[in-house]
């Protein structure tokens, strides 16, 4: 065992983990370092895309389709061009000249940038008005006249696959229906056999509704083509600036070294800022044509209605089990809605993302899953919003089904989980669908969560309330999930052909401080702080002496960006490996400075100093070594002190957790209140517990939004009816309870610092726990499932169905005294 | 489009500018005067990322015309700190990790400042209620509540010390 992994031996043994200051005391691993990013944000000095101003900058407003499905008969620009300050109106025809009217998606489909013939969803991009300011651009957009021949839309995946459904994709040769793709995993025949013979089987239908990540900052870009340098610079809200540069080069024909993508501060991404949207291309193309900078910033409704949605999986789950609760097989069938284009942002060989992690935390020998995806007259998307490539859907499926099975067998759902968990000594564990789980200790996390939640006492209280016919029912929900994050091994994972490695470049300056550049792109997750902590730990530096940069493709090493909780698993590994390369060279310089043999030099993690073995007083710090590298370098080495690493991960990381949610359900109103919300996460070794805690809080709030409030809805005409903040409801401080968080530490054995990703775990893990809790409150009335979002009216309907609803009129004495005294009743 | 000559005093500096009737205050601040701290997160007056103070009252600057603010004193997040000393609210947001992407932060801080002027010792419920008009997608609010509590405590201590000094 190397000295680096020995450092974490205690954790692997399940020993106690210090909460703080387990690093070297100067901002290393495990310390709650305050964020370097904060200073600029709390003083209003962040630099987001809409803060970018350039001389001569024009503004772009996109003309969008009012119809979900319609043929464009003609576009009249003339009235828009008459508006004072309107510089240009672009349509598909103008872009065709540059071969930019369409662009490839990440799933080998083709998406319109501006529509040439037929709009396929409401709010789709039809034309772009470029003007001197944003108000005039909007005026111009109002005056573009588009002549539509309206067609029947289809916004429901099931209806889209029916024989008489209107054909959406008549642009694809040979496509004569709305079928998008089929996918399967596991062993169909073996699974069918187990189900045929199993003593117990359960089945449940569930819709993981269409959501939207809705980062508070919408998407936007400033395209700036410089004809003097023949160079295109695009500032954009990008989670993956390097891959965006490559795609821009492929689409535009401009060579990659003449494109610079800058992702400045990003006001939240949540997967929404991974795809390339038509707005980016239009801003860049307009700048190229007009030779002036062009800014495009979408409004909230445009963001929700046209950029990447999340989920929209209509799932059937089945479990086969023994009578004492041992799960024998799992089977699922999914109908996926992919919208009008297959533009799902995921590795190219995974058309259903990592959905086949649906065997979850359980040792299930046999599994089969099938999926059909349909085109509908809705915006494209699918993978976003902390989903880790469809792991949200997979975990929802299995964790809901375990509860359904527990109810069927009248067993405690915690017991069913314990009975089926993959055991610590089974890792690395190969799942029935081919995943290779790195490490885990699931029972430990569950036990901790149950204890924190005071589980037994609440079970007691739940029974009491049922017996006493109380007005408010108690429900207890559990979710014991396994995530799969850190895409990924280049042999299987690529984005548009580029393997999913990531990178770090460390440059130690002559005076001993350092600049670190990474290929990932923070959107608030604190990389500028945590990556500095990794390097500080590995080089014995002070965290304040390290600056982390990202987001500029001209200066940063190529990386695949931040999504799928991949930053720590992949670029975090690269930062550690690059640090160790620097340390290796530093050893050689230390030997030169101390006039000792290189093999006699040892490095001490605690002090961060290099010293001569057996003579600890003969030591030298990284600051002195840095000076030596530039001012007195050994003849055997190049001058300077820097290293780069492109890290191809050998495996994914598999963080896990157990969440316990306790709710009160009001039998009169169907309102759900959170009584207790416990989240125990295990992401291996923890770089910065404060930042992890913040990630968990935010992700749990999104889980609550998912379960209780959020839904992008459509009417029969294809109008988006849940398309802005008036009716796409984000939780406020009033809807979010206080969270109780805990953790265990089971390091990833293959990761250089034993760390796993964690950012998406809370949103993956919490929705099933919440739904399980609400179902649990009503399961004695025979309720086995409640669809999300669990609005009061929907919960009340379930209460009513179970015979548990109370008519408010029976319990409330209505008085009108207040009204009368105000004189309202008299008017 | 009718234009108006207006005077805005922003963070103590008086500006004379010409705006259209329809120019929203948030755009006058961001586009005309370069106060880019206040942000825009929606078009339905829900998110509160654009919150600034108008004559001491926290308002959503996306829901007011610049011309309506003629003659007013406006404070944005940029005014709270000079280079070397942060306001206790800013300090607390950092110390309690009450921000991640930072986009809602300027609005959150301005709402907090108004709350603490009105109610120097709010309980958790009062804090959550006061922040109801400010959406955050990153933090889950919990650390923001802690930041407000901590800022309130610091500011009460400062006031108490000031009173003793007097």
């Amino acid at each position: 065992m190397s000295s680096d992994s020995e450092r974490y031996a205690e954790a692997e043994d399940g020993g106690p983990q210090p909460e703080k200051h387990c690093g070297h005391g100067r901002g290393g691993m495990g310390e709650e370092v305050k964020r370097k990013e904060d200073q600029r944000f709390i003083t209003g000095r962040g630099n987001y895309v809409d803060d970018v101003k350039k001389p001569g900058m024009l503004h772009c407003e996109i003309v969008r389709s009012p119809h979900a499905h319609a043929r464009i008969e003609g576009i009249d620009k003339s009235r828009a061009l008459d508006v004072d300050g309107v510089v240009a109106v672009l349509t598909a025809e103008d872009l065709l000249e540059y071969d930019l009217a369409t662009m490839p998606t990440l799933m080998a489909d083709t998406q319109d940038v501006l529509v040439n013939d037929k709009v396929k969803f409401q709010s789709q991009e039809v034309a772009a008005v470029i003007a001197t300011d944003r108000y005039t651009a909007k005026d111009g957009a109002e005056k573009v006249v588009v002549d539509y021949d309206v067609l029947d839309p289809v916004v429901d995946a099931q209806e889209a696959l029916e024989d008489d459904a209107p054909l959406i994709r008549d642009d694809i040769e040979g496509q004569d229906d709305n079928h998008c793709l089929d996918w399967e995993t596991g062993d169909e025949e073996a699974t069918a056999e187990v189900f045929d013979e199993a003593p117990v089987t359960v089945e449940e239908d569930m819709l993981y509704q269409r959501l939207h990540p809705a980062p508070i900052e919408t998407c936007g870009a400033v395209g700036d083509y410089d004809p003097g340098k023949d160079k295109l610079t695009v500032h954009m809200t990008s989670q993956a600036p390097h891959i965006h540069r490559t795609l821009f080069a492929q689409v535009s024909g401009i060579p990659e070294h003449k494109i610079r993508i800058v992702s400045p501060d990003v006001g939240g991404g949540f997967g929404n800022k991974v795809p390339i949207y038509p707005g980016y291309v239009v801003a860049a193309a307009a700048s190229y044509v007009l030779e002036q900078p062009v800014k495009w910033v979408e409004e909230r409704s445009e963001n929700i209605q046209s950029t990447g949605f999340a989920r929209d999986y209509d799932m059937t789950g089945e479990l086969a089990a023994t009578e004492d609760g041992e799960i024998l097989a799992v089977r699922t069938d999914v109908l996926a809605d992919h919208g009008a284009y297959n533009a799902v942002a995921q590795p190219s060989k995974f058309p259903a993302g990592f959905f086949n992690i649906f065997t979850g935390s359980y040792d299930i020998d046999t599994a089969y899953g099938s999926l059909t995806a349909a085109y509908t007259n809705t915006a494209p998307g699918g993978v976003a919003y902390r989903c880790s490539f469809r792991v949200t859907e997979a975990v929802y499926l299995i964790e809901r089904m375990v509860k359904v099975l527990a109810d069927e067998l009248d067993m405690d759902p915690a017991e069913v989980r314990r009975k089926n968990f993959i055991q610590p000594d089974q890792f690395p564990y190969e799942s029935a669908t081919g995943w290779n789980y790195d490490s885990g200790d699931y029972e430990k996390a569950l036990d901790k969560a149950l204890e924190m939640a005071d589980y037994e006492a609440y079970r007691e209280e739940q029974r009491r309330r049922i017996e006493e016919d109380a007005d408010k029912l108690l429900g207890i929900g559990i979710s014991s999930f396994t995530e799969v994050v850190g895409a990924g091994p280049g042999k299987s994972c690529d984005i548009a052909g580029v393997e999913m490695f990531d990178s770090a470049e460390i440059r130690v300056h002559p005076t001993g401080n350092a600049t670190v550049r990474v290929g990932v792109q923070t959107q608030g997750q604190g990389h500028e702080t945590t990556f500095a902590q990794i390097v500080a730990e590995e080089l014995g530096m002070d965290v304040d002496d390290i600056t982390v940069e990202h987001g500029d493709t001209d200066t940063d090493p190529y990386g695949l960006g931040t999504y799928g909780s991949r930053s720590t698993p992949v670029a975090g590994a690269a930062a550690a490996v690059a640090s160790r390369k620097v340390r290796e060279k530093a050893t050689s310089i230390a030997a030169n400075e101390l006039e000792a043999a290189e093999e006699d030099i040892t490095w001490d993690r605690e002090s961060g100093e290099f010293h001569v073995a057996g003579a600890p007083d003969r030591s030298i710090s990284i600051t002195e070594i840095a000076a030596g590298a530039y001012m007195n370098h050994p003849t055997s080495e190049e001058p300077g002190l820097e290293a780069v690493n492109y890290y191809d991960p050998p495996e994914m990381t598999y963080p896990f957790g157990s969440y316990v949610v306790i709710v009160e359900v009001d039998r009169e109103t169907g309102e759900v209140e959170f009584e207790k919300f416990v989240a125990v996460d295990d992401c291996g070794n923890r770089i910065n517990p404060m930042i992890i805690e913040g990630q968990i809080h935010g992700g749990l709030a999104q889980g609550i939004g998912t379960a209780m409030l959020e839904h992008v809805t459509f009417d029969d005409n294809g109008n988006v009816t849940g398309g802005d903040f008036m009716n796409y409801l984000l939780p406020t401080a009033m809807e979010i309870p206080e969270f109780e968080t805990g953790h265990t530490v089971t390091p990833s054995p293959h990761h250089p610092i034993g760390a796993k990703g964690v950012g998406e775990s809370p949103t993956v893990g919490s929705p099933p726990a919440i739904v399980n809790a609400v179902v649990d409150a009503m399961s004695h009335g025979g309720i086995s499932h409640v669809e999300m979002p669990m609005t009061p009216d929907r919960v009340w309907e379930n209460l009513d169905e179970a015979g548990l609803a109370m008519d408010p009129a029976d319990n409330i004495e209505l008085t009108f005294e207040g009204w009368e005294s105000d004189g309202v009743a008299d008017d | 489009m009718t234009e108006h000559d207006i005077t805005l005093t922003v963070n103590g500096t008086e500006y004379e500018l010409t705006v259209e009737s329809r120019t929203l205050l948030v755009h006058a601040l961001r586009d005309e005067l370069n106060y880019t701290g206040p942000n825009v997160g929606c078009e339905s007056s829900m998110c509160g990322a654009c919150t600034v103070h108008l004559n001491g009252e926290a308002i959503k600057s996306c829901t007011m015309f610049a011309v309506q603010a003629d003659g007013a004193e406006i404070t944005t997040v940029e005014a709270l700190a000079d280079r070397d000393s942060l306001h206790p609210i800013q300090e607390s947001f950092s110390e309690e990790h009450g921000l991640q992407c930072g986009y809602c932060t300027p609005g959150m801080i301005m709402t907090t400042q108004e709350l603490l002027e009105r109610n120097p010792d709010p309980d958790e419920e009062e804090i959550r209620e006061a922040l109801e008009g400010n959406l955050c997608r990153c933090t889950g609010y919990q650390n923001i509540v802690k930041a407000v509590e901590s800022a309130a405590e610091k500011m009460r201590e400062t006031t108490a010390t000031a009173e003793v000094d007097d």
Side-chain angles (χ1 to χ4, degrees), chain A residues 200 202 319 321-327 400-421 455-456 459 462-463 476 478 772 776 779-780:
Chain A
V200 180
V202 286
L319 289 183
T322 63
E323 268 153 13
D324 59 356
E326 189 195 331
I327 302 171
R400 279 295 300 117
M401 290 315 298
V402 168
K403 166 67 176 159
V404 171
L405 176 67
D407 285 350
E408 171 74 19
L409 297 172
D410 203 17
M411 276 179 75
D412 184 323
E415 248 348 276
V416 176
R417 286 182 169 84
R418 272 199 198 93
K419 202 178 224 355
N420 290 286
F421 276 149
Y455 183 69
E456 292 305 331
R459 281 278 175 230
Q462 181 183 43
R463 278 190 287 272
I476 308 164
I478 305 172
N772 284 347
D776 191 63
S779 54
H780 62 290

Side-chain angles (χ1 to χ4, degrees), chain A residues 35 53 139 300-301 739, chain B residues 22 34 43 90 100 142:
Chain A
R35 296 201 327 161
K53 289 192 178 100
D139 288 344
R300 172 58 50 198
S301 54
F739 302 118
Chain B
R22 63 177 176 174
N34 286 319
E43 71 250 31
Q90 292 170 313
Q100 292 179 28
Q142 188 155 324

Side-chain angles (χ1 to χ4, degrees), chain A residues 458 461-462 465-466 469-477 661-676 708 769-780 783 786 790-800 802 804-806:
Chain A
Y458 275 105
E461 168 70 7
Q462 181 183 43
R465 291 200 191 187
I466 293 170
D469 203 26
D471 293 359
K472 289 185 179 180
L473 293 165
L474 208 62
I476 308 164
V661 175
I662 296 162
V663 297
E664 270 191 338
V665 176
D666 190 321
R667 293 169 58 201
E668 286 175 358
T669 62
E671 201 177 349
V672 176
E673 275 200 38
F674 294 99
E675 172 80 13
K676 219 171 189 28
M708 309 307 296
I770 301 166
V771 176
N772 284 347
V774 173
V775 169
D776 191 63
M778 297 184 271
S779 54
H780 62 290
I783 296 298
V786 179
M790 298 184 293
T791 50
D793 57 330
R794 188 170 269 171
V795 173
W796 198 89
E797 275 169 23
N798 278 278
L799 284 164
D800 194 36
L804 297 169
M806 285 169 63

Side-chain angles (χ1 to χ4, degrees), chain A residues 35 38 42 48 50-51 53 134-135 139 212-213 300-301 385 523 694-695 697-698 710 731 733 736 739, chain B residues 22 24 27 30-31 34 41 43 46 90 94-95 97 100-103 124 128 137-142:
Chain A
R35 296 201 327 161
D38 288 353
I42 57 182
Y48 304 95
D50 201 11
D51 300 343
K53 289 192 178 100
R134 62 178 99 220
Y135 286 72
D139 288 344
H212 197 281
R300 172 58 50 198
S301 54
Y385 201 9
Q523 314 119 45
Q695 288 292 301
H697 289 173
E710 300 178 28
I736 299 301
F739 302 118
Chain B
R22 63 177 176 174
L24 296 173
H27 288 137
R30 289 180 50 82
D31 294 351
N34 286 319
E43 71 250 31
M46 306 293 285
Q90 292 170 313
S94 179
E95 285 163 5
H97 188 32
Q100 292 179 28
C101 80
Y103 200 77
E124 185 186 331
R128 286 182 181 269
R137 202 59 162 156
C138 293
T139 64
Y141 302 103
Q142 188 155 324

Side-chain angles (χ1 to χ4, degrees), chain A residues 321-382:
Chain A
T322 63
E323 268 153 13
D324 59 356
E326 189 195 331
I327 302 171
L328 303 172
V330 53
R331 184 161 59 191
T332 179
D333 184 39
V334 181
L335 177 60
D337 187 336
H338 280 205
Y341 304 90
N342 191 17
V344 188
Q346 61 198 354
S348 71
K349 299 186 190 82
F350 294 82
F354 300 160
F355 181 68
N356 56 342
I357 192 86
F358 63 73
T359 54
S361 306
Y362 312 105
D363 185 10
I364 304 174
D365 293 337
T366 316
Y368 176 70
S370 56
L371 175 143
T372 297
Y375 292 115
T376 61
N377 287 116
T378 62

Side-chain angles (χ1 to χ4, degrees), chain A residues 8-174:
Chain A
Y8 303 114
E10 183 185 45
E12 281 172 48
D13 293 337
Q17 277 288 304
E19 284 287 332
K20 290 184 190 183
H21 304 301
C22 53
H24 57 27
R26 296 189 305 283
M29 277 286 289
E31 296 177 41
E32 295 203 324
V33 176
K34 301 296 168 232
R35 296 201 327 161
K36 292 164 170 282
E37 299 79 339
D38 288 353
Q39 179 75 17
R40 65 180 187 271
F41 295 142
I42 57 182
T43 56
R45 286 170 178 80
N47 184 36
Y48 304 95
V49 160
D50 201 11
D51 300 343
V52 173
K53 289 192 178 100
K54 297 196 171 197
M57 187 174 76
L58 301 170
H59 293 259
C60 169
E61 175 75 13
I62 290 180
V63 179
R64 293 174 183 276
S65 170
H67 305 293
H69 199 193
R71 216 162 277 288
I72 294 177
E73 303 284 343
I75 301 175
D76 180 4
K77 305 175 178 181
S78 60
R79 289 180 61 219
L81 287 167
D82 285 345
V83 175
D84 258 0
V86 168
V87 176
V89 178
L90 301 177
T91 62
E93 215 171 307
D94 303 297
L95 296 185
L96 274 170
E97 201 179 315
Y98 302 92
D99 202 17
L100 288 173
T102 59
M103 61 181 182
T105 72
L106 294 179
M107 286 285 103
D109 194 355
T110 302
Q111 178 177 356
D112 293 293
V113 174
L114 295 176
V115 179
N116 194 23
D117 48 0
K118 192 176 84 167
V119 293
K120 301 177 188 70
F121 61 92
Q122 189 180 50
S123 293
Q124 190 171 8
E125 298 81 357
V126 173
V129 176
I130 318 295
T132 47
D133 68 277
R134 62 178 99 220
Y135 286 72
T136 308
K138 270 186 184 299
D139 288 344
E142 290 280 305
K143 294 202 173 350
V144 174
V145 180
V146 185
D147 184 11
Y148 292 102
D149 175 20
V150 179
L151 306 169
D152 284 339
V154 57
V155 292
D156 176 90
Q158 191 66 55
E159 286 170 21
L161 293 178
E162 284 166 12
D163 289 342
D164 57 349
L167 178 64
I168 300 167
R169 297 301 303 276
D170 48 7
D171 57 316
I172 303 174
E173 214 180 295

Side-chain angles (χ1 to χ4, degrees), chain A residues 229-233 242 245-246 248-250 252-261 552-555 558:
Chain A
K229 287 182 182 164
D230 187 26
K231 183 160 184 174
L232 174 69
T233 300
H242 297 277
R245 182 184 58 177
T246 302
F248 261 95
Q250 287 171 349
S252 69
I254 301 173
E256 212 163 346
H257 65 104
K258 291 189 178 271
I259 300 177
R260 177 183 174 211
I261 304 287
D552 186 335
T553 58
D554 266 9
T555 53
Y558 200 106

